[in-house]
Amino acid sequence: MWNPRPPDDEWRRTARRALLGTDEAPGSVVLTPMGRLFRAITRQHTVRTDGWLTTGTFGAATVVWTPQGQPVADALAALEPGSHVTFVGLCGSLRRHPLGSAVAIDAAVGADGRRHHPRLGFASAVTHATNAQVTSLLEAEQRHAELTGLADTVDMETATVLACAEAFGLASRALLLVSDHNRSPSPFTAPPHPMEEALRRLPYVLDRLL
């Protein structure tokens, strides 16, 4: 199991130039691995493709469309210690959270069973949850019974984000939108209407919570 260690200054600068297309170190960052979430957050804001990753803005924060899963670690490693990171993703509910609802993650369980906690909170109350990380939708379905004993929701990134943020000296938090109920219905057959409404609300939710 990989234990992340903070890279040196030169690695961070080089990574920022490649990934974000700039030497400037943003102090506040919103990371999301989903194109639909990125477009919802950055609508009516500037979007840039100067680096390997597409970036945009949301208020004073830089929004980064990251790869899905554990490669999100590279975007985190490119940030300077002390930066604030808000991860926004999708999750499957294991406790019947309503489709389209937003949950703030209090703890994320990694593949090794370790629990990772955010260092930032949210300014307004939302539903809170414990999240478990998996590598794929198939794994989430096949481990459903086990996961329900570990967490309230399941996704592919949050534990990595919180673990790397802690290792790299970043302050982090995670806000997840419930896109499915993990097995009933399956992620591939969940009705689209709750998520469409959640995407419309997302900028207002973030503006109120951050």
Side-chain angles (χ1 to χ4, degrees), residues 36-83:
R36 294 178 69 193
L37 297 181
F38 177 85
R39 289 187 289 272
I41 296 168
T42 59
R43 65 185 182 219
Q44 301 179 356
H45 294 273
T46 301
V47 173
R48 300 177 56 180
T49 56
D50 301 330
W52 296 1
L53 304 179
T54 301
T55 63
T57 57
F58 183 80
T62 296
V63 185
V64 183
W65 183 358
T66 71
Q68 196 167 8
Q70 295 187 24
V72 67
D74 291 324
L76 291 159
L79 304 176
E80 292 298 314
S83 301

Side-chain angles (χ1 to χ4, degrees), residues 42-132:
T42 59
R43 65 185 182 219
Q44 301 179 356
H45 294 273
T46 301
V47 173
R48 300 177 56 180
T49 56
D50 301 330
W52 296 1
L53 304 179
T54 301
T55 63
T57 57
F58 183 80
T62 296
V63 185
V64 183
W65 183 358
T66 71
Q68 196 167 8
Q70 295 187 24
V72 67
D74 291 324
L76 291 159
L79 304 176
E80 292 298 314
S83 301
H84 285 199
V85 175
T86 301
F87 176 73
V88 181
L90 301 179
C91 67
S93 172
L94 299 168
R95 303 288 184 208
R96 295 297 176 183
H97 294 288
L99 293 178
S101 61
V103 294
I105 301 304
D106 286 332
V109 183
D112 58 359
R114 286 190 294 177
R115 297 167 74 91
H116 306 282
H117 301 273
R119 291 174 53 195
L120 289 175
F122 289 96
S124 183
V126 292
T127 300
H128 290 251
T130 298
N131 188 76

Side-chain angles (χ1 to χ4, degrees), residues 92-94 96-99 144 178-186 190:
S93 172
L94 299 168
R96 295 297 176 183
H97 294 288
L99 293 178
H144 178 81
V178 177
S179 59
D180 62 88
H181 284 138
N182 188 230
R183 289 185 71 178
S184 178
S186 81

